[in-house]
Amino acid sequence: MLREIPSTLPVEPLEPSDLKPENSRHDAQISVFGAQLQKKLEQSKIFMVGSGALGCEFLKNLALMGISCSQNGKLTVTDDDVIEKSNLSRQFLFRDWNIGQPKSTVAATAAMAINPELHVEALQNRASPETENVFNDAFWESLDAVVNALDNVTARMYIDSRCVYFQKPLLESGTLGAKCNTQMVIPHLTENYGASRDPPEKQAPMCTVHSFPHNIDHCLTWARSEFEGLLEKTPTEVNAFLSNPGGYATTARTAGDAQARDQLERVIECLETDKCETFQDCITWARLKFEDYFSNRVKQLTFTFPEDAMTSSGAPFWSAPKRFPRPLEFSSSDSSHLNFLLAASILRAETFGIPIPGWAKNPKKLAEAVDKVIVPDFHPKEGVKIETDEKATSLSSASVDDAAVIEELIAKLQAISKTLSPGFRMNPIQFEKDDDTNFHMDLIAGFANMRARNYSIPEVDKLKAKFIAGRIIPAIATSTAMATGLVCLELYKVLAGGHKVEDYRNTFANLAIPLFSMAEPVPPKTMKHQDMSWTVWDRWTVTGNMTLRELLEWLKEKGLNAYSISCGTSLLYNSMFPRHKERLDKKVVDVAREVAKVEVPSYRRHLDVVVACEDDDDNDVDIPLVSIYFR
């Protein structure tokens, strides 16, 4: 296996003098890679995005390698997240007393303890289009390499696009339990990260989650959604209305759809029928929610679709994987029922700023309070629409009268607001899985298990519910260490320079099988036109503050007939529109300012445009991004 791994040594043979010890902590590394490469490592400018599980391992490795350990070098690490209790098991640079502190700052400080010479700057900015004033052109152009330590595809795609644009090496890796993978993205040698992607993870259809669950994951997904809707989204909407009633109403009118209607109805319900002023009100609310969720809705569902219902094709409606549900009968002597009501009541009280009485956690007194609640009888209704289409993306039904209904709801909401005390605001609750005393997981586990009981699905304990609902990705320190170690071996090659594509390796490993697979990176796709060729790594540059007509002529000289020019999401020119010909003698930058409302930042000397072209045979030709350097 080791014979198949390309050497990480510099391409050129090393002189014996280059391997002499320098009485430094890196002498062992110098004896292998040479003093010249060690100097490159120390002077390198690296951008590491993320400082979680992968990030902690990377920082440790980079500090021990001597990366950015001179005044000319710099390691910039950014992460907008803070340390949570659940991080401590797999992000080893953090300790109990760091909970709540910024990950990047704590990780950087720990790395400097490993190597005090490390020249590192820790930022708390999310690398995104919104922070391009922080990570600007000068910053990107100064970099030698970028290391991803991310946990989501969206962020990876953005960093990949920046690396392609500025032609910077990107060292990508990821882990999932016992699995890990690495990918080297090298300018002009390999394809970029976005060139190939895994298929999107399958999600359960909305109708399955809401009406036809058949496993505990469906129940927990629904529970998490209900938690956020009741305790975070609706209180946030209430506050948004109370802060700016006129603006809120205008937004609803402008939307004028079923979603806006439903949103208004939820806010009205929260402030009218569900408004709580005492803890007993919160208990009443929780008891009625139990009846609604786990009894009434099931009765309505089974009324609409009886156990012997058939589909239009003549097959049984309740065939696998559908499970026929049974309504729950509430009992204050059932501890699981009572625990659900306790968590729901306490969290509801928090949203209304109601003090929690001392007796609330006494099961006997809580049961007495619950038994006082009068629950109205429920009678199923005819003609109720229940979504069964697995492709449906919304459970709301649009109505031709939505606009009229919205006006009525706005008027009602404004009337209700006059009955509220001055300065009334709600306290939205953001889900926090790691605090065992906040009742968040108690409520979600209760929601899920009551629903599971409806559908005869095996229930789970709070720890298992936390794992699924908290979307905790399993992490194993050995797979994380393997991924980062493999990436750092490739980093020697990147910083040394001069390596061919066949010298690099992408890796996939699964320690559970075990499987260890290495492969050469895939070269980028090459596009050709006449005697020209280019890849995704190329960007055509034009110097001079040219007009649209001059840009078209510049492309014409390359045998390309440009018929459309756009900047961002705006169309600057299209040959189909006669009025666009009036723009031909205007500067491209001026047209972008006028049409696309683009203001080029002071630190940028160019404007990027996307040009659609055809050859002389009317065949489309995908050309690189065109950058016009006008300053």
Side-chain angles (χ1 to χ4, degrees), residues 235-253 263-264 267 271 410 413-414 417 420 424-425:
T236 299
E237 289 296 330
V238 167
N239 291 346
F241 164 71
L242 295 174
S243 298
N244 185 6
Y248 190 87
T250 299
T251 302
R253 289 188 183 103
Q263 186 172 288
L264 286 166
V267 172
L271 293 177
I410 290 172
L413 187 54
Q414 290 170 340
S417 67
L420 302 175
F424 172 82
R425 292 292 185 276

Coordinates of all heavy atoms in Angstrom, one line a residue, residues 235-253 263-264 267 271 410 413-414 417 420 424-425:
P235 N -43.8 33.2 18.1 CA -43.5 34.3 19.0 C -42.7 35.4 18.2 O -42.8 36.6 18.4 CB -42.7 33.7 20.1 CG -43.2 32.3 20.2 CD -43.5 31.9 18.8
T236 N -41.8 34.9 17.3 CA -41.0 35.9 16.5 C -41.9 36.7 15.6 O -41.7 37.9 15.5 CB -39.9 35.1 15.7 OG1 -39.0 34.4 16.6 CG2 -39.1 36.1 14.9
E237 N -42.9 36.0 15.0 CA -43.8 36.7 14.2 C -44.7 37.7 15.0 O -45.0 38.8 14.5 CB -44.8 35.7 13.5 CG -44.1 34.9 12.4 CD -43.6 35.7 11.2 OE1 -44.2 36.8 10.9 OE2 -42.6 35.4 10.6
V238 N -45.1 37.3 16.2 CA -45.8 38.2 17.0 C -45.0 39.5 17.3 O -45.6 40.6 17.2 CB -46.2 37.5 18.4 CG1 -46.7 38.5 19.4 CG2 -47.2 36.4 18.1
N239 N -43.8 39.3 17.7 CA -42.9 40.5 18.0 C -42.7 41.3 16.7 O -42.6 42.6 16.8 CB -41.6 40.0 18.5 CG -41.7 39.4 19.9 OD1 -42.7 39.6 20.6 ND2 -40.7 38.7 20.3
A240 N -42.6 40.7 15.6 CA -42.4 41.4 14.3 C -43.6 42.3 14.0 O -43.5 43.5 13.6 CB -42.2 40.5 13.1
F241 N -44.8 41.8 14.3 CA -46.0 42.6 14.1 C -46.1 43.7 15.1 O -46.4 44.9 14.8 CB -47.3 41.7 14.3 CG -48.5 42.4 14.5 CD1 -49.1 43.2 13.4 CD2 -49.2 42.5 15.7 CE1 -50.2 43.9 13.6 CE2 -50.3 43.2 15.9 CZ -50.9 44.0 14.8
L242 N -45.8 43.4 16.4 CA -46.0 44.4 17.4 C -44.9 45.5 17.3 O -45.2 46.7 17.7 CB -45.9 43.8 18.8 CG -47.0 42.8 19.2 CD1 -46.7 42.1 20.5 CD2 -48.3 43.5 19.2
S243 N -43.8 45.2 16.7 CA -42.7 46.2 16.5 C -43.0 47.1 15.4 O -42.7 48.3 15.4 CB -41.4 45.5 16.2 OG -41.0 44.7 17.3
N244 N -43.7 46.6 14.3 CA -44.0 47.4 13.2 C -45.3 47.0 12.5 O -45.3 46.3 11.5 CB -42.9 47.4 12.2 CG -43.1 48.3 11.0 OD1 -44.0 49.1 11.0 ND2 -42.2 48.2 10.0
P245 N -46.5 47.3 13.1 CA -47.7 46.8 12.6 C -48.0 47.1 11.2 O -48.5 46.3 10.4 CB -48.8 47.4 13.5 CG -48.0 47.8 14.8 CD -46.6 48.1 14.4
G246 N -47.7 48.4 10.8 CA -47.9 48.8 9.4 C -47.1 48.1 8.4 O -47.6 47.6 7.4
G247 N -45.8 47.9 8.7 CA -44.9 47.2 7.8 C -45.2 45.7 7.7 O -45.1 45.2 6.6
Y248 N -45.6 45.1 8.8 CA -46.0 43.7 8.9 C -47.2 43.5 8.0 O -47.3 42.6 7.2 CB -46.3 43.3 10.3 CG -46.4 41.8 10.5 CD1 -45.3 41.0 10.7 CD2 -47.7 41.2 10.4 CE1 -45.5 39.6 10.9 CE2 -47.9 39.8 10.6 CZ -46.7 39.1 10.8 OH -46.9 37.7 11.0
A249 N -48.2 44.4 8.1 CA -49.4 44.3 7.3 C -49.1 44.5 5.8 O -49.7 43.7 4.9 CB -50.5 45.3 7.7
T250 N -48.2 45.4 5.5 CA -47.9 45.6 4.1 C -47.2 44.4 3.5 O -47.5 44.0 2.3 CB -46.9 46.9 4.0 OG1 -47.6 48.0 4.5 CG2 -46.5 47.1 2.5
T251 N -46.3 43.8 4.3 CA -45.6 42.6 3.8 C -46.6 41.5 3.5 O -46.5 40.8 2.5 CB -44.6 42.1 4.8 OG1 -43.6 43.2 5.1 CG2 -43.9 40.9 4.4
A252 N -47.6 41.3 4.4 CA -48.6 40.3 4.2 C -49.5 40.5 3.0 O -49.8 39.6 2.2 CB -49.5 40.2 5.5
R253 N -49.8 41.8 2.8 CA -50.6 42.2 1.6 C -49.9 41.9 0.3 O -50.4 41.5 -0.6 CB -51.1 43.6 1.7 CG -52.1 44.0 2.8 CD -52.6 45.4 2.6 NE -53.5 45.8 3.7 CZ -53.2 46.5 4.7 NH1 -52.0 47.0 4.8 NH2 -54.1 46.8 5.6
Q263 N -49.8 32.4 8.3 CA -48.9 33.1 9.2 C -49.8 34.1 10.1 O -49.6 34.1 11.3 CB -47.9 33.9 8.5 CG -46.8 34.6 9.3 CD -45.7 35.1 8.5 OE1 -44.9 34.4 7.9 NE2 -45.7 36.4 8.4
L264 N -50.7 34.8 9.5 CA -51.5 35.8 10.2 C -52.4 35.0 11.1 O -52.7 35.4 12.3 CB -52.4 36.6 9.2 CG -51.6 37.7 8.5 CD1 -52.5 38.2 7.3 CD2 -51.3 38.9 9.4
V267 N -50.5 33.9 14.3 CA -50.3 35.1 15.2 C -51.6 35.4 15.9 O -51.5 35.7 17.1 CB -49.7 36.3 14.4 CG1 -49.7 37.5 15.3 CG2 -48.4 36.0 13.8
L271 N -52.3 35.2 20.1 CA -52.6 36.4 20.9 C -54.1 36.4 21.4 O -54.4 37.2 22.2 CB -52.3 37.6 20.1 CG -50.9 37.9 19.8 CD1 -50.8 39.2 18.9 CD2 -50.1 38.1 21.0
I410 N -55.8 41.0 9.0 CA -55.1 42.1 9.4 C -55.9 43.0 10.3 O -55.4 43.5 11.3 CB -54.6 42.9 8.2 CG1 -53.4 42.1 7.4 CG2 -54.0 44.3 8.6 CD1 -53.0 42.7 6.1
L413 N -56.3 41.3 13.6 CA -55.0 41.4 14.4 C -54.8 42.8 15.0 O -54.3 42.9 16.1 CB -53.8 41.0 13.5 CG -52.5 40.8 14.1 CD1 -52.5 39.8 15.2 CD2 -51.4 40.4 13.1
Q414 N -55.1 43.8 14.2 CA -54.9 45.2 14.7 C -55.9 45.4 15.9 O -55.5 46.1 16.8 CB -55.2 46.2 13.6 CG -54.1 46.1 12.5 CD -54.4 46.9 11.3 OE1 -55.6 47.2 11.0 NE2 -53.4 47.3 10.5
S417 N -54.4 43.7 19.0 CA -53.2 44.3 19.5 C -53.6 45.4 20.5 O -52.8 45.8 21.4 CB -52.4 44.9 18.4 OG -53.0 45.9 17.7
L420 N -53.7 44.4 24.2 CA -52.5 43.9 24.9 C -51.9 45.1 25.7 O -52.1 46.3 25.4 CB -51.5 43.5 23.8 CG -51.9 42.4 22.9 CD1 -50.8 42.2 21.8 CD2 -52.1 41.1 23.6
F424 N -46.0 44.9 25.4 CA -46.0 43.4 25.4 C -45.2 42.8 24.3 O -45.2 43.3 23.2 CB -47.5 43.0 25.3 CG -47.6 41.5 25.1 CD1 -47.6 40.6 26.2 CD2 -47.7 40.9 23.8 CE1 -47.8 39.3 26.0 CE2 -47.8 39.6 23.6 CZ -47.9 38.7 24.7
R425 N -44.3 41.9 24.7 CA -43.5 41.1 23.7 C -43.4 39.7 24.2 O -43.5 39.4 25.4 CB -42.1 41.7 23.6 CG -42.0 43.1 23.0 CD -42.4 43.0 21.5 NE -42.2 44.3 20.9 CZ -43.1 45.3 20.9 NH1 -44.2 45.2 21.5 NH2 -42.8 46.5 20.3

